[in-house]
Amino acid sequence: MIKVKVVKKDDIIESISAHGHANYDEYGKDIVCASFSTMLITTINAILDIDIDAISYTDSNDLNIINIKKDNITNSLLKTLVNMIHELRDNYDKNIIIKEEDHD
């Protein structure tokens, strides 16, 4: 199962972390993992194209995205990513879980 954690403060996404495998199908044929990876890579690349210093991220076995600048564009793109993850989870709830923490 892919496990996602979103940390927010005052409606600003501070970080997104993810780990695990969807296990919908075998590696290389898993449409849930492929969809999830595509959403992440597209969002990270879009943010970095706009401002290379807006986020930091690590992508080893786990993915961690840290919102450094917390500007409107970066936050909007990260919110869109979280919404897409929710939609993916709604269709594949046995393969992905998302937890959001508010630190208001």
Side-chain angles (χ1 to χ4, degrees), residues 63-104:
L63 173 87
N64 294 295
I65 302 170
I66 307 294
N67 187 352
I68 296 170
K69 295 237 175 143
K70 298 180 174 97
D71 60 53
N72 286 336
I73 293 171
T74 303
N75 198 54
S76 292
L77 288 167
L78 291 174
K79 281 182 174 182
T80 300
L81 172 61
V82 171
N83 289 338
M84 289 187 296
I85 294 170
H86 278 288
E87 288 183 31
L88 186 63
R89 189 270 333 264
D90 290 347
N91 290 304
Y92 299 97
D93 61 345
K94 293 181 176 114
N95 308 96
I96 188 166
I97 186 168
I98 183 167
K99 177 182 173 186
E100 294 190 42
E101 293 181 6
D102 271 318
H103 294 235
D104 290 333

Side-chain angles (χ1 to χ4, degrees), residues 40-56:
L40 290 172
I41 292 165
T42 301
T43 302
I44 289 169
N45 287 340
I47 292 168
L48 295 176
D49 277 350
I50 295 166
D51 184 347
I52 198 159
D53 297 319
I55 61 170
S56 70

Side-chain angles (χ1 to χ4, degrees), residues 23-37:
N23 294 317
Y24 181 80
D25 203 340
E26 63 186 75
Y27 283 93
K29 296 182 179 181
D30 193 319
I31 61 170
V32 178
C33 274
S35 297
F36 185 73
S37 295

